[in-house]
Amino acid sequence: MRIGVYPGTFDPITNGHIDIIRRASKMVDRLLIGAAQNPGKNPMFSLEERTEMVCDEIDAIQETNKKQGHHCDIEVTSFGNLLMHFAEQNDAQFIIRGLRAVSDFEYEFQMVGMNARLNPNIETVFLMSSERHQFISSRLVKEIAVLGGEIKEFVSPRVEARMMTAIGQKK
C-alpha cells in the first residue's frame, strides 16, 4: 500500500491546497493530511478548527475520485511532532509537498535534505501548483480577508464563511 502524507498548517485551507490533495490522491492508496500545530505561524484558527476545515473539504474530493474510478482513502489528522516522526508513525513512504514558486523550492530543498538524514526511506514528492493556484497563499488570503477584500476565488464557500465569522469575532 502506497501511503503519502500531505502536511501543512492549513490556516486556512485554500483552493491551492485542495488542488494538491486532489492530484496527490491519484498517486497513493492512502493519503494522510496532517494539520501541523505550528504555533510559530501565529494561526488565525485553532488546530482543531483547521483540522475540521480540512475534513469539510475532503468529502467532495472523495466523491469525485469515486466517480472517476480512483480509490484513495483520505484521512485528516493533526500533529505536533516532527514531520518525519509523524510520517513514520503512519507507515508513510512519501511526503507530498506543493510548490508555487522558486522561493518555495529553496525552503523545501533544505527540508528534504534534513528529512533524508532523519529517514532516508521516506521520499519527498513535489507537485507544482496548477497555474491558476500558483499565487494563492494562506497568509495572503488572511490578509485580504482582514482588510475587507474578496476571497471567494481563493477558498471554498465554507472556508470563506468561517473566515468572515472569525474576523467578525476579532473586531
Side-chain angles (χ1 to χ4, degrees):
M1 179 178 257
R2 294 169 302 172
I3 301 171
V5 169
Y6 179 46
T9 306
F10 305 112
D11 184 48
I13 186 167
T14 68
N15 292 341
H17 293 125
I18 296 300
D19 177 57
I20 296 294
I21 292 167
R22 274 194 184 104
R23 292 166 48 212
S25 72
K26 295 175 184 173
M27 299 169 53
V28 295
D29 302 306
R30 179 175 173 235
L31 180 61
L32 184 61
I33 302 168
Q37 194 165 13
N38 211 344
K41 285 193 173 183
N42 193 23
M44 173 182 276
F45 296 99
S46 71
L47 183 58
E48 183 178 298
E49 290 170 318
R50 291 183 279 127
T51 303
E52 286 173 9
M53 277 192 284
V54 175
C55 285
D56 290 345
E57 300 302 311
I58 296 310
D59 291 338
I61 294 171
Q62 289 187 330
E63 190 63 34
T64 301
N65 280 351
K66 285 179 188 175
K67 288 178 183 176
Q68 295 176 349
H70 300 293
H71 178 73
C72 176
D73 292 322
I74 303 175
E75 298 173 40
V76 181
T77 190
S78 59
F79 71 102
N81 55 339
L82 280 175
L83 172 57
M84 233 355 111
H85 293 164
F86 178 68
E88 290 167 352
Q89 290 165 353
N90 289 281
D91 299 320
Q93 297 93 8
F94 306 99
I95 294 172
I96 297 162
R97 301 294 292 161
L99 294 177
R100 292 171 301 198
V102 173
S103 58
D104 286 348
F105 179 79
E106 291 172 4
Y107 171 77
E108 295 293 342
F109 184 75
Q110 281 188 303
M111 292 301 295
V112 167
M114 294 300 287
N115 286 338
R117 295 287 178 136
L118 294 171
N119 187 333
N121 297 316
I122 298 177
E123 293 291 336
T124 299
V125 176
F126 294 115
L127 294 177
M128 292 301 301
S129 293
S130 297
E131 182 180 311
R132 60 186 281 212
H133 300 299
Q134 285 180 344
F135 59 91
I136 300 173
S137 77
S138 294
R139 182 184 57 81
L140 291 176
V141 169
K142 286 187 290 193
E143 187 174 325
I144 291 166
V146 166
L147 295 173
E150 190 65 48
I151 60 169
K152 65 182 167 190
E153 286 187 54
F154 313 125
V155 297
S156 74
R158 291 175 295 277
V159 171
E160 180 183 24
R162 278 184 172 235
M163 289 191 72
M164 294 303 104
T165 299
I167 291 166
Q169 290 173 350
K170 291 184 177 191
K171 286 184 178 179

